Amino acid sequence: MFRGATAVNLDSKGRVAIPTRYRSEILEESQGLMVCTVDLQQPCLVLYTLIEWENIEQKIKALPNLDPNTRALQRVVIGHATECELDRAGRILISPTLRQRVNLEKNLMLVGQLNKFEIWNESVWNRQIEADLALGVSEQFAQSNELKMLSL
C-alpha cells in the first residue's frame, strides 16, 4: 500500500525518482513496471504498478463499449496510458504528453493513494489540499452518509 505525500523533483529529461521506501514493493509486485495516465477528476496523473493497472483495464474492458461515457473514459484513461519502468536509480520517465496535460514543472508531489500514486504539480497540490481541508469542515462533508460510517 502506498501512503504519504512526498515532495519530488522532475529532472530535465522528465524523470522522477520514486522514494526508496516504495521501490522494493514495486520491484516485487511488477518487476518495476508501472503505468501512468491522467486522472479523470483531478488535474494530476495517476501511477499504478503494472499488476494494479491490469485490474483497471479489465474493469474498463467490462464496461459497455457503445456507451458514450465508456468511450470517453477509454479515450482519456486508456488513450493516455503510458508504460514506464523503474531504472537502476529508481526513476521513472514521464512522457512529455502527460507532463504537458497536467502542467508538471520541476517541483512535484508524489501522493500515495493505497493502490496507486497521484503525481501533482506542487503548487496545484497545495491549492487542492487547502480546498480539501475547507471541505472537511463543511456541512456538505458532515452530511455524507458514507463518511458518517467511517471512524478515524
Side-chain angles (χ1 to χ4, degrees), residues 59-89:
K59 290 175 185 177
I60 293 173
K61 186 178 179 182
L63 296 172
N65 198 32
L66 295 177
D67 182 310
N69 292 321
T70 298
R71 299 292 293 146
L73 174 89
Q74 290 171 334
R75 276 191 298 275
V76 174
V77 174
I78 303 291
H80 284 89
T82 305
E83 290 184 20
C84 45
E85 184 175 2
L86 280 179
D87 67 13
R88 289 187 178 146

Side-chain angles (χ1 to χ4, degrees), residues 14-102:
R15 298 175 300 195
V16 174
I18 301 298
T20 306
R21 68 182 179 270
Y22 302 120
R23 292 178 194 171
S24 62
E25 183 177 343
I26 294 166
L27 288 167
E28 279 180 34
E29 183 176 316
S30 63
Q31 294 73 50
L33 298 174
M34 303 186 83
V35 174
C36 192
T37 191
V38 295
D39 188 300
L40 278 176
Q41 299 176 329
Q42 300 292 329
C44 68
L45 301 177
V46 285
L47 179 66
Y48 295 91
T49 63
L50 183 59
I51 300 296
E52 278 295 322
W53 176 252
E54 288 171 343
N55 292 333
I56 301 296
E57 283 181 327
Q58 290 306 312
K59 290 175 185 177
I60 293 173
K61 186 178 179 182
L63 296 172
N65 198 32
L66 295 177
D67 182 310
N69 292 321
T70 298
R71 299 292 293 146
L73 174 89
Q74 290 171 334
R75 276 191 298 275
V76 174
V77 174
I78 303 291
H80 284 89
T82 305
E83 290 184 20
C84 45
E85 184 175 2
L86 280 179
D87 67 13
R88 289 187 178 146
R91 299 171 300 194
I92 59 162
L93 177 65
I94 300 174
S95 75
T97 301
L98 290 175
R99 293 192 315 257
Q100 291 169 0
R101 178 67 53 201
V102 296

